[in-house]
């Protein structure tokens, strides 16, 4: 059971018990009154009930109209873009059987036995003493090794119950074990005994368990806001899979699709997680300006650096299946979408910092608010940029290791398209993140300082204003 805690008796010169109601409804930011008397519940001998009326409007009606005049047309444009570019689904194509473009089924390893590699011709039938295909020991030494012969049962599809054998050599990275769940590729045009092959391990259960633990942790710590964050995450994923990816495959400009999709994700995620308020709207404006800067810089430097976006097997396969897709535009779309998540964090944090600083000192002007909040932003910049760079470096670690093995110079490594893509992606995103701090802080400071308390509160004895009480009494649990 919760109740509002009793406030201390009024000092001389303050209103007596019979006048214990709040004096006026100020419009201080943060949803609370900025005047000294507070707009909340105080209890006295004559008033045993609370008088809290909930949060006040965060900004004046005029400023709310200005914000709405900017964001409503933007929202309408995003909705129109979704309607115009919405795809009917990914276009079909004949499967190539290469990489991810294969038919797959679920299967189970039912039996594993050890056999001589020579008996199953695992060495490839090379002459004795000839080098092996792996470049290691001669084929005779390879044949003397022990291989594993796995019997695999297909669990899904038209061939459910069918079994086939898979030979696993001792130097293979992935070894098969009995009762292990696996993913198998199916090629109907191949000879019957070669139609199925194991391609990966089935990780459905551990991945689902990890996702469940993550969801529980978010809800337990974040409560309702954490739950809304999960819903926003699900909606963002739906926008990505139902709109962005199919629209690009249908031939729409990847940059336009990314801008419309990222804007929709931004609006849904921010308002769903943080509520429909002026504070959230300022964060949306800061995010929008920063995304525009990232788009301009990305387009400029991707074109200037002659980055094609076609640098590995996966992008090569996409280009082969859908030659009309602009691969450099796809690279730029990835930069924009990849920067959005971190941008949301920065802009919301800076906006909240300005609001809280104003609530702590409602008399502070916009310059003072900006200077105080930008000090918080500098710490945020240092940690966020470092996080972003290390995240990209971690993803490209095998590639960097190959360059290290080849003893390539830093200039050679940075000039290669594979690494240059990551450098441009990282630096463009980081510039946008750095710019978002002063931009969002300035916007928030201007908006939140534009309001002033509606009426001067009476001064207590001594001539000093009483500290603002924030609109609601402190809650305590009994």
């Amino acid at each position: 059971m919760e109740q509002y805690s009793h406030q201390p008796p009024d000092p001389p010169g303050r209103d007596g018990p019979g006048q214990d109601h709040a004096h006026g409804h100020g419009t201080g930011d943060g949803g609370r009154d900025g005047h000294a008397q507070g707009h909340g519940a105080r209890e006295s001998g004559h008033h045993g009930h609370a008088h809290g009326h909930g949060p006040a409007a965060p900004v004046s009606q005029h400023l709310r109209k200005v914000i709405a005049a900017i964001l409503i047309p933007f929202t309408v444009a995003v909705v129109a873009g979704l309607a115009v570019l919405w795809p009917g689904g990914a276009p079909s194509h004949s499967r190539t059987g290469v990489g991810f473009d294969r038919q797959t089924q679920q299967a189970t390893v039912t039996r594993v036995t050890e056999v001589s590699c020579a008996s199953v011709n695992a060495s490839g039938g090379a002459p004795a003493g000839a080098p092996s295909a792996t470049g290691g020991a001669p084929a005779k030494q390879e044949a003397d090794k022990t291989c594993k012969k796995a019997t695999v049962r297909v669990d899904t599809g038209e061939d459910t119950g069918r079994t086939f054998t898979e030979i696993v050599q001792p130097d293979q990275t992935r070894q098969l074990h009995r009762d292990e769940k696996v993913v198998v590729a199916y090629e109907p045009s191949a000879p019957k005994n070669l139609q199925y092959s194991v391609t990966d391990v089935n990780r459905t259960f551990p991945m689902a368990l990890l996702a469940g633990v993550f969801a529980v942790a978010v809800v337990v710590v974040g409560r309702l806001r954490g739950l809304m964050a999960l819903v926003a995450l699900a909606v963002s994923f739906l926008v990505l899979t139902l709109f962005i990816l199919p629209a690009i495959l249908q031939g729409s400009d990847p940059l336009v699709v990314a801008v419309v999709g990222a804007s929709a994700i931004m609006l849904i995620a921010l308002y769903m997680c943080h509520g429909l308020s002026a504070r959230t709207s300022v964060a949306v404006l800061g995010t929008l300006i920063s995304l525009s800067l990232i788009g301009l810089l990305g387009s400029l430097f991707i074109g200037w650096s002659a980055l094609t976006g076609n640098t590995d097997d996966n992008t090569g396969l996409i280009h082969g299946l859908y030659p009309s897709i602009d691969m450099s535009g796809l690279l730029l779309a990835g930069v924009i979408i990849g920067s959005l998540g971190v941008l949301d964090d920065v802009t919301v944090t800076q906006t909240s910092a300005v609001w809280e600083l104003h609530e702590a000192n409602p008399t502070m002007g916009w310059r003072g608010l900006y200077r105080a909040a930008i000090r918080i932003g500098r710490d945020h910049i240092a940690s966020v940029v470092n996080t972003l760079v290390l995240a990209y470096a971690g993803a490209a670690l095998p590639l960097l290791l190959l360059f290290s093995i080849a003893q390539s110079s830093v200039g050679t490594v940075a000039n290669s398209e594979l690494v240059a893509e990551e450098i441009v992606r990282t630096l463009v995103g980081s510039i946008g993140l750095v710019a978002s701090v002063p931009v969002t802080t300035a916007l928030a400071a201007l908006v939140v300082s534009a309001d002033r308390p509606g009426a001067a509160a009476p001064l207590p004895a001594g001539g000093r204003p009483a500290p603002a009480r924030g609109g609601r009494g402190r809650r305590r649990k009994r």
Side-chain angles (χ1 to χ4, degrees), residues 190-420:
K192 189 174 180 62
N193 62 330
L194 298 176
Q195 288 181 335
Y196 285 96
S197 61
V198 176
T199 60
D200 209 342
V201 173
N202 188 341
R203 303 179 181 87
T204 303
F205 178 73
M207 298 295 285
L209 179 62
L210 181 60
V213 172
F214 163 73
V216 170
V218 170
V219 173
V220 167
V221 177
R223 298 187 180 180
L224 179 60
R225 184 158 294 186
L227 179 62
M228 296 307 295
L230 291 177
V231 174
L233 178 63
V235 173
S236 301
F237 184 75
L238 289 176
V239 172
L240 181 65
T241 55
L242 298 181
F243 171 71
I244 295 178
L245 299 180
I248 291 175
L249 289 177
Q250 278 198 342
S252 299
D253 188 329
L255 178 58
V256 176
V257 172
V259 168
V260 173
S263 300
I265 291 173
M266 174 186 66
L267 291 171
I268 294 170
L270 286 178
Y271 283 117
M272 186 173 289
C273 293
H274 305 285
L276 188 62
S277 65
R279 181 189 299 200
T280 308
S281 298
V282 171
V284 168
L285 287 173
T287 305
L288 178 60
I289 294 171
S290 303
L291 275 180
S292 301
L293 177 62
I294 289 173
L296 290 173
L297 289 176
S299 178
L300 173 64
F301 282 95
I302 287 175
W304 198 359
S305 304
L307 298 177
T308 64
N310 188 2
T311 54
D312 56 23
D313 293 340
N314 292 327
T315 53
L317 178 60
I318 292 171
H319 184 65
L321 294 174
Y322 301 96
S324 61
I325 292 179
D326 180 7
M327 299 304 294
S328 61
L330 187 62
L331 173 61
L332 179 56
V335 172
I336 293 174
I337 295 173
S339 302
L340 179 60
V342 188
L343 267 180
D344 288 352
D345 172 49
V346 173
T347 55
V348 169
T349 299
Q350 287 305 113
T351 306
S352 297
V354 172
W355 247 260
E356 294 300 326
L357 287 167
H358 177 76
E359 182 181 337
N361 185 1
T363 62
M364 189 183 296
W366 81 268
R367 289 184 178 86
L369 286 171
Y370 178 83
R371 286 194 295 266
I374 203 68
R375 287 194 291 269
I376 300 172
R378 290 190 186 106
D379 290 336
H380 207 179
I381 286 173
S383 60
V384 166
V385 170
N386 194 46
T387 299
L388 195 63
V389 171
L390 290 179
Y392 284 128
L397 200 58
L399 177 63
L400 297 177
L401 187 61
L402 286 176
F403 281 112
S404 178
I405 293 172
Q407 297 182 350
S408 302
S409 65
V410 174
T412 302
V413 172
N415 190 64
S416 66
E417 186 170 1
L418 274 171
V419 177

Side-chain angles (χ1 to χ4, degrees), residues 110-125:
T110 59
R111 185 182 178 188
V112 177
T113 58
E114 293 186 350
V115 296
S116 169
C117 292
S119 65
V120 292
N121 198 27
S123 62

Side-chain angles (χ1 to χ4, degrees), residues 129-144:
S132 66
T134 60
K140 184 178 185 303
Q141 296 181 22
E142 292 285 338
D144 291 340

Side-chain angles (χ1 to χ4, degrees), residues 5-10 15-21 41-51:
S5 61
H6 291 276
Q7 302 294 341
D10 289 309
D15 295 333
Q19 296 173 318
D20 199 41
H21 292 77
R42 280 197 262 155
E43 295 180 9
S44 66
H46 295 277
H47 293 277
H49 59 281
H51 293 278

